[in-house]
């Protein structure tokens, strides 16, 4: 079964893009007023939020799960590539933050000036970021979108960054100017960790890593009446997004129609367990013998 979630994902990305532009502008404005390095770095981080939304919209346009002549397995990997683009943006933001902090330490700079109204504006920014993160994550999990989940991870890092920056600016307001530069480094670390998380979540999809243990697929298949054994089991994709399963199925069937009904039941059981999933089964007669349930590991 193939599920196309692009319409809902596109709607969410447009909403979050508008909110992120608002947040970016407010951070940049307050950062300019106060001269805060950590806040300007946070505004740069928010630039990547908006860029990520645009990248997501582009990726979604080309990531149809429906197969065509040139892409018989669909286009879902375009979405994973878009998520990797988000990871790249996060890496760039991390570098810019660290570079700015080091320059401030080596060359110095104007003292940071902050007032209570500016802190209240940042609390509004924080509230918008929290809403965007939870909104994207909830919809992403419900529709199985890697782009939305990756962008929600990015936005959640923005939440922690903004909390850190607000804490630092409160310290600056109380007279501790050094807090602004010091906090730039953990902000960079949080940004890097977010990028690493997005990278590790999407690489399995792109490198066709095993999605389901072959023993699990084997157990489900042989539980169906009429199945004697199955072997050469392979799977790829990501559970919850799209999984592809291949196997050879040995069935106890006197005719093609009975064999077909048995394989239909196997497909039904796998679909219920790992939806959405596309399954390819090669049927073999009862006399066929094989002890292997998957591909053997390479010997070194």
């Amino acid at each position: 079964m193939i599920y196309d979630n692009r319409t809902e994902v596109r709607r969410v990305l447009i909403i979050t893009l508008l909110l992120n532009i608002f947040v970016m502008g407010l951070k940049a404005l307050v950062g300019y007023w106060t001269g805060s390095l950590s806040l300007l770095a946070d505004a740069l981080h928010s630039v990547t939020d908006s860029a990520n939304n645009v990248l997501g919209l582009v990726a979604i346009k080309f990531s149809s799960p429906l197969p065509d002549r040139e892409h018989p397995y669909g286009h879902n990997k375009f979405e994973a590539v878009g998520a990797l683009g988000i990871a790249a943006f996060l890496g760039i933001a991390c570098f810019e933050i660290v570079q700015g902090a080091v320059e401030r330490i080596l060359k110095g700079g104007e003292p940071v000036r902050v007032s209570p109204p500016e802190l209240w504006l940042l609390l509004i920014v924080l509230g918008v970021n929290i809403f965007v993160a939870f909104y994207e994550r909830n919809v992403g999990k419900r529709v199985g979108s890697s782009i939305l989940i990756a962008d929600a991870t990015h936005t959640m890092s923005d939440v922690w960054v903004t909390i850190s920056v607000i804490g630092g600016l409160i310290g600056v307001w109380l007279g501790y100017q050094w807090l602004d530069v010091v906090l730039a480094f953990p902000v960079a670390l949080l940004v890097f960790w977010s990028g690493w998380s997005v990278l590790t979540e999407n690489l399995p999809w792109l490198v066709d890593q095993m999605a389901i243990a072959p023993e699990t697929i084997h157990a489900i298949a042989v539980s169906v009446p009429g199945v004697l054994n199955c072997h050469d089991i392979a799977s790829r994709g990501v559970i919850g997004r799209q999984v592809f399963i291949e196997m050879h199925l040995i069935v106890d069937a006197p005719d093609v129609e009975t064999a077909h009904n048995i394989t239909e039941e196997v497909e039904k059981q796998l679909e219920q367990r790992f939806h959405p999933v596309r399954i390819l089964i090669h049927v073999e007669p009862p006399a066929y013998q094989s002890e292997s349930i998957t591909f053997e590991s390479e010997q070194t």
Side-chain angles (χ1 to χ4, degrees):
M1 179 178 179
I2 301 173
Y3 172 55
D4 191 349
N5 60 10
R6 289 179 300 158
T7 300
E8 188 161 9
V9 172
R10 186 181 297 110
R11 178 176 58 83
V12 173
L13 285 173
I14 291 173
I15 292 173
T16 55
L17 172 62
L18 296 175
L19 291 173
N20 283 329
I21 291 174
F22 168 75
V23 164
M24 176 185 64
L26 201 54
K27 285 180 182 177
L29 186 61
V30 177
Y32 176 77
W33 283 343
T34 62
S36 168
L37 175 64
S38 61
L39 185 54
L40 289 173
D42 194 15
L44 176 62
H45 189 203
S46 293
V47 170
T48 66
D49 285 331
S50 300
N52 294 340
N53 294 143
V54 174
L55 179 63
L57 288 169
V58 173
I60 286 299
K61 180 177 178 60
F62 296 101
S63 66
S64 170
L66 303 175
D68 57 29
R69 181 180 175 83
E70 287 75 27
H71 303 88
Y73 292 98
H75 308 73
N76 279 313
K77 285 188 178 181
F78 280 103
E79 190 173 354
V81 171
L84 293 187
I86 292 177
F89 275 120
L90 287 168
I92 294 170
C94 176
F95 174 78
E96 293 291 339
I97 293 169
V98 172
Q99 183 184 51
V102 171
E103 287 182 356
R104 177 69 66 88
I105 292 173
L106 295 178
K107 299 179 181 180
E110 294 294 325
V112 178
R113 306 169 302 277
V114 65
S115 62
E118 290 159 346
L119 292 175
W120 281 110
L121 286 176
L122 292 180
L123 288 177
I124 295 174
V125 166
L126 180 61
V128 173
N129 278 340
I130 292 173
F131 168 77
V132 169
F134 281 93
Y135 174 54
E136 279 193 301
R137 178 173 297 173
N138 289 339
V139 177
K141 288 183 176 180
R142 178 167 56 82
V143 302
S145 169
S146 58
I147 279 286
L148 290 184
I149 294 173
D151 201 41
T153 301
H154 183 189
T155 305
M156 184 53 70
S157 75
D158 210 19
V159 168
W160 292 111
V161 167
T162 303
I163 290 173
S164 300
V165 169
I166 291 174
L169 290 179
I170 291 174
V172 169
W173 180 43
L174 297 174
Y176 301 99
Q177 285 285 331
W178 52 270
L179 268 176
D180 184 57
V181 175
V182 169
L183 282 173
F185 290 99
V187 166
L189 182 61
L190 286 169
V191 172
F192 173 81
W193 180 253
S194 296
W196 180 255
S197 299
V198 171
L199 184 67
T200 55
E201 287 172 6
N202 286 278
L203 270 181
W205 179 278
L206 293 173
V207 300
D208 289 338
Q209 182 175 313
M210 178 185 68
I212 307 163
E215 294 81 6
T216 300
I217 297 173
H218 180 271
I220 293 173
V222 297
S223 69
V224 174
V227 175
L228 300 179
N229 199 357
C230 60
H231 62 98
D232 287 343
I233 301 168
S235 66
R236 63 184 177 88
V238 177
I239 295 176
R241 297 189 206 171
Q242 179 72 62
V243 175
F244 299 89
I245 298 175
E246 301 173 11
M247 72 174 77
H248 287 223
L249 198 66
I250 304 174
V251 297
D252 184 11
D255 52 58
V256 174
E257 184 176 358
T258 303
H260 169 75
N261 292 335
I262 293 172
T263 57
E264 286 283 302
E265 182 60 27
V266 171
E267 291 177 356
K268 178 181 177 182
Q269 295 296 325
L270 291 170
E271 172 72 25
Q272 289 176 350
R273 180 77 176 271
F274 303 113
H275 170 80
V277 60
R278 288 174 61 184
I279 306 161
L280 178 63
I281 297 177
H282 177 79
V283 177
E284 292 171 332
Y288 189 90
Q289 297 293 324
S290 176
E291 299 299 325
S292 174
I293 66 169
T294 186
F295 297 105
E296 295 180 358
S297 300
E298 294 182 2
Q299 300 297 319
T300 57

